[in-house]
Amino acid sequence: QRSLAAGRGCRTAQSVVPRREPPSFPPGAGSRLPCPAPAPPAWLEIPVGRNCCSSLLSEQTLSPFQCQFRCCLPLPQVFNDPIHGHIEIHPLLVRIIDTPQFQRLRYIKQLGGTYFVFPGASHNRFEHSLGVGYLAGCLVRALKERQPELDITQRDILCVEIAGLCHDLGHGPFSHMFDGRFIPLVRPNLKWKHESASVEMFEHLITSNKLEKVMEDYGLVLQEDMNFIKEQIGGPIDENTREKSWPYVGRPKEKSFLYEIVANKKNGIDVDKWDYFARDCHHLGIQNNFDYKRLLKFTRVCEVNSQKLICTRDKEVGNLYDMFHTRNCLHRRAYQHKVGNIIEIMITEALQKADPYFKIEGSKGTPYRISTAMEDMEAYTKLTDHVYLEILHSSCPELAEAREILRKIERRELYKFLGDTHPEKGKEIAKVMSPKNPPLVEPKAEDFIVDVINMDYGMEEQNPIDKVLFYCKADPTKAVRITKEQVSKLLPETFAEQVIRVYCKNQDPDTVSAAKQYFIQWCIRRDFTKPQDCDVVAPHLTPMKKSWNNIQEAECRTAAEPSCKQRLPFDE
Ligand SMILES: [Zn+2]
């Protein structure tokens, strides 16, 4: 068996060599198939062929009904995943995987520009999506097994798995670089999120590959289940129902917990995170200290205000704090690495310069740009990280400027990092400033890049654990909340902070040195925190600010006479 990176695990082998050994499904795995039913469902009439398996299935793993029709059963496919090991994927999910819209995810790096800093981080959205589909199935099955009274059906399980598999279909080139940097830069008035593109791409995947019939053949109720899957990915479908007590149409209130598995809008604890923690850490070479398998064992559903919601055992609260701490560490060390970020800023700039000249053919032959491709899913299917190489290898004169930026990345002639600072509480910068309009207007505004990063526990200022429900051993049916004070005194006081990083495009050492002085002066004026190296790079400036030096006012030099030669332009 080959690993995922090299291609798919067992599939090729399965279709060529008949397996002799009994299958390794756990008991009950066969029950994923919609059965029993009075007559064989339509999917059993799929011509016997690539999945014929009459000699393979042991009688114990199949219901009598399945034994009767066993030679026609499409088997789950086994994939060898580096994170979760050998995982079984339902044949309907395999049909979804084997489409151009899903295969596109092979060509989108999970961590975008971070791969230019961490040489192992070359993994793509494709394998992450398989992992989330698998973990979604694990969680929903664990709940079904533990609490049969929840009435989780095979249809529910299949829909949750499909939602996990398809939740990231709408990502653009270099993942979060596209919706976090490129789109806000080139279409500042467009409110666009990759989640809504995932919903649209999922719909396009099903219709353009004519999978409606296949879905029905596997027991799904098309309209209802399509809605349910889309709602799990993008939230309520109808904007008008958002304010209602139950905003969803795919499943009733009694199954509210199903909406918390793939993308948990309440507290952010979901299988998407579980997969990317494990996978990103593996590829980054960073230790992962969060164990989702343990959490899986301590998850239950309790009824709260007539809704049934996912709850965690009270003693696991510390592990949940650790989970958010791990997330924050990953952001600091990898996702927001200062070099990775500047490379993403440079790629974004290159895509912006290439955008007017870049044609992607959509439906009915209509041409789209990089910035408009998401308006047509046929065009968007063709938009992946490949744009980088297309620009880099092009000889078209219109792309010369964009090409030169990418060549700079290849030669590692990166924009220079000047330093970072934190604004005081209440002085946060409202939004990321575009390189066209930085606050540092003189002497050469176009040399400066300001990158504003908002770091939090996923819920801005709020503590996500305040939104988590717990149950205790004494009465596992009752949901309770646990405050931070009940856990430890050594937990964060605040849950969000802003980091402002400033870079200089000009590589000339004198200009970089001057730019550093301006940056420090800017921090003094704005009352931001002291840049870490400023006592060394600007010892003549730092004494001006009392609070930076922990000394009495009288000892400070006056800030009215800065020692910088040029006029400092950093007015409020
Ligand atoms: Zn994801």
Side-chain angles (χ1 to χ4, degrees):
Q1 286 169 6
R2 291 175 298 163
S3 69
L4 275 178
R8 185 165 299 157
C10 306
R11 291 191 64 199
T12 332
Q14 264 183 356
S15 55
V16 179
V17 188
R19 294 196 315 185
R20 288 278 162 231
E21 77 284 9
S24 57
F25 312 152
S31 64
R32 282 179 208 180
L33 304 164
C35 80
W43 60 264
L44 281 182
E45 287 158 33
I46 293 166
V48 181
R50 73 171 194 175
N51 279 311
C52 188
C53 53
S54 55
S55 62
L56 308 178
L57 297 169
S58 71
E59 303 290 318
Q60 300 94 4
T61 61
L62 295 175
S63 70
F65 171 81
Q66 286 170 330
C67 293
Q68 196 182 342
F69 297 101
R70 64 189 172 184
C71 66
C72 316
L73 292 179
L75 282 174
Q77 301 276 3
V78 178
F79 291 67
N80 185 0
D81 178 72
I83 307 306
H84 308 299
H86 289 83
I87 60 178
E88 285 178 0
I89 303 282
H90 187 284
L92 175 56
L93 272 73
V94 175
R95 293 293 295 267
I96 292 171
I97 293 166
D98 293 347
T99 61
Q101 293 73 25
F102 194 90
Q103 293 296 316
R104 165 180 181 271
L105 299 178
R106 285 185 187 273
Y107 314 109
I108 296 176
K109 292 264 165 293
Q110 175 80 12
L111 300 184
T114 308
Y115 176 45
F116 288 85
V117 177
F118 291 81
S122 61
H123 54 307
N124 297 291
R125 288 276 155 191
F126 179 83
E127 45 270 37
H128 163 64
S129 300
L130 294 182
V132 176
Y134 165 73
L135 287 183
C138 290
L139 178 51
V140 70
R141 279 198 191 84
L143 294 173
K144 180 179 167 65
E145 204 167 301
R146 209 164 291 147
Q147 295 173 274
E149 71 279 7
L150 295 174
D151 194 28
I152 299 171
T153 65
Q154 296 302 327
R155 247 179 83 200
D156 293 336
I157 295 178
L158 205 43
C159 289
V160 170
E161 287 184 322
I162 294 172
L165 188 74
C166 296
H167 78 288
D168 273 347
L169 282 178
H171 265 295
F174 299 94
S175 294
H176 288 291
M177 187 203 87
F178 192 74
D179 55 353
R181 295 186 186 275
F182 178 71
I183 293 297
L185 178 67
V186 294
R187 302 186 66 177
N189 299 319
L190 183 73
K191 278 204 169 99
W192 182 80
K193 281 167 42 194
H194 75 264
E195 289 90 345
S196 48
S198 294
V199 170
E200 230 181 296
M201 186 64 98
F202 173 65
E203 172 112 49
H204 175 63
L205 183 155
I206 298 299
T207 52
S208 64
N209 296 286
K210 300 186 174 60
L211 291 181
E212 296 95 334
K213 170 96 175 31
V214 188
M215 288 172 82
E216 286 178 335
D217 289 347
Y218 279 105
L220 299 193
V221 178
L222 201 60
Q223 195 55 51
E224 204 171 293
D225 288 340
M226 280 296 282
N227 281 340
F228 176 39
I229 295 164
K230 288 191 218 166
E231 286 171 335
Q232 287 178 76
I233 298 170
I237 292 171
D238 187 354
E239 282 294 327
N240 301 321
T241 64
R242 275 184 191 263
E243 301 307 317
K244 290 190 180 164
S245 70
W246 184 246
Y248 296 107
V249 295
R251 288 295 182 273
K253 220 173 178 178
E254 296 70 53
K255 295 211 168 168
S256 38
F257 59 91
L258 293 177
Y259 287 98
E260 301 182 304
I261 294 173
V262 172
N264 190 331
K265 305 272 188 296
K266 287 201 179 74
N267 54 40
I269 300 171
D270 50 39
V271 295
D272 180 26
K273 264 193 199 63
W274 298 359
D275 184 83
Y276 83 65
F277 280 173
R279 196 172 300 278
D280 293 351
C281 284
H282 173 86
H283 290 281
L284 288 164
I286 291 175
Q287 187 75 34
N288 177 22
N289 59 12
F290 171 72
D291 185 359
Y292 72 82
K293 283 185 183 155
R294 185 176 167 88
L295 211 55
L296 213 52
K297 302 269 182 222
F298 291 106
T299 302
R300 280 187 72 83
V301 170
C302 302
E303 195 169 328
V304 189
N305 300 333
S306 79
Q307 282 194 26
K308 290 184 177 163
L309 301 173
I310 292 184
C311 302
T312 307
R313 177 70 194 277
D314 52 0
K315 68 189 172 86
E316 295 307 304
V317 61
N319 287 335
L320 290 185
Y321 274 104
D322 286 348
M323 187 189 94
F324 283 101
H325 180 72
T326 299
R327 178 179 176 277
N328 192 253
C329 289
L330 278 172
H331 271 277
R332 292 186 167 282
R333 282 203 246 165
Y335 305 155
Q336 306 297 348
H337 191 285
K338 62 184 180 351
V339 177
N341 277 9
I342 197 60
I343 289 174
E344 285 198 346
I345 288 170
M346 291 174 79
I347 299 173
T348 301
E349 223 179 271
L351 298 194
Q352 181 198 24
K353 293 204 187 296
D355 194 42
Y357 314 104
F358 211 96
K359 296 278 171 290
I360 303 162
E361 200 181 308
S363 50
K364 301 192 191 94
T366 316
Y368 289 86
R369 293 176 173 196
I370 303 170
S371 60
T372 57
M374 75 290 231
E375 290 163 12
D376 180 285
M377 286 300 130
E378 219 173 295
Y380 199 50
T381 305
K382 298 176 192 164
L383 181 65
T384 67
D385 293 2
H386 84 286
V387 287
Y388 180 98
L389 286 180
E390 200 136 310
I391 296 168
L392 187 68
H393 294 159
S394 76
S395 51
C396 152
E398 288 89 5
L399 295 178
E401 243 188 307
R403 200 160 51 231
E404 188 44 36
I405 296 173
L406 298 186
R407 283 184 179 161
K408 276 192 173 148
I409 295 176
E410 304 272 308
R411 295 194 299 259
R412 213 73 177 180
E413 289 170 14
L414 308 178
Y415 301 161
K416 292 278 173 261
F417 177 66
L418 300 180
D420 57 14
T421 183
H422 303 251
E424 283 288 309
K425 189 93 197 81
K427 288 197 173 182
E428 287 95 348
I429 288 184
K431 62 181 180 112
V432 178
M433 265 162 269
S434 82
K436 274 186 288 182
N437 187 27
L440 311 177
V441 283
E442 286 177 32
K444 263 194 167 180
E446 65 272 17
D447 274 352
F448 290 97
I449 289 175
V450 179
D451 193 19
V452 180
I453 302 154
N454 292 302
M455 300 257 207
D456 58 35
Y457 269 28
M459 301 191 67
E460 295 178 358
E461 308 282 317
Q462 292 180 66
N463 175 0
I465 310 292
D466 287 344
K467 306 277 174 194
V468 179
L469 292 162
F470 295 91
Y471 67 90
C472 2
K473 201 174 184 180
D475 183 0
T477 66
K478 214 168 155 37
V480 294
R481 295 200 189 269
I482 299 177
T483 64
K484 188 165 70 89
E485 292 67 34
Q486 288 175 283
V487 182
S488 167
K489 285 188 174 177
L490 303 177
L491 291 171
E493 275 298 312
T494 51
F495 293 87
E497 67 169 346
Q498 204 171 54
V499 182
I500 300 166
R501 299 213 181 112
V502 180
Y503 300 84
C504 177
K505 283 190 185 183
N506 198 319
Q507 313 263 322
D508 168 60
D510 290 341
T511 310
V512 172
S513 166
K516 275 192 182 177
Q517 320 275 318
Y518 282 110
F519 168 62
I520 292 160
Q521 192 75 28
W522 185 68
C523 295
I524 292 174
R525 290 284 176 97
R526 289 222 160 201
D527 237 357
F528 290 169
T529 58
K530 187 177 180 177
Q532 288 174 3
D533 61 353
C534 70
D535 281 331
V536 178
V537 301
H540 53 296
L541 290 179
T542 52
M544 290 180 210
K545 187 144 183 76
K546 184 181 76 168
S547 59
W548 279 6
N549 299 285
N550 202 17
I551 49 172
Q552 295 303 309
E553 187 128 34
E555 294 173 51
C556 288
R557 285 166 52 182
T558 165
E561 289 178 63
S563 54
C564 236
K565 281 178 202 141
Q566 286 157 287
R567 188 173 72 82
L568 297 169
F570 315 121
D571 294 320
E572 299 302 311

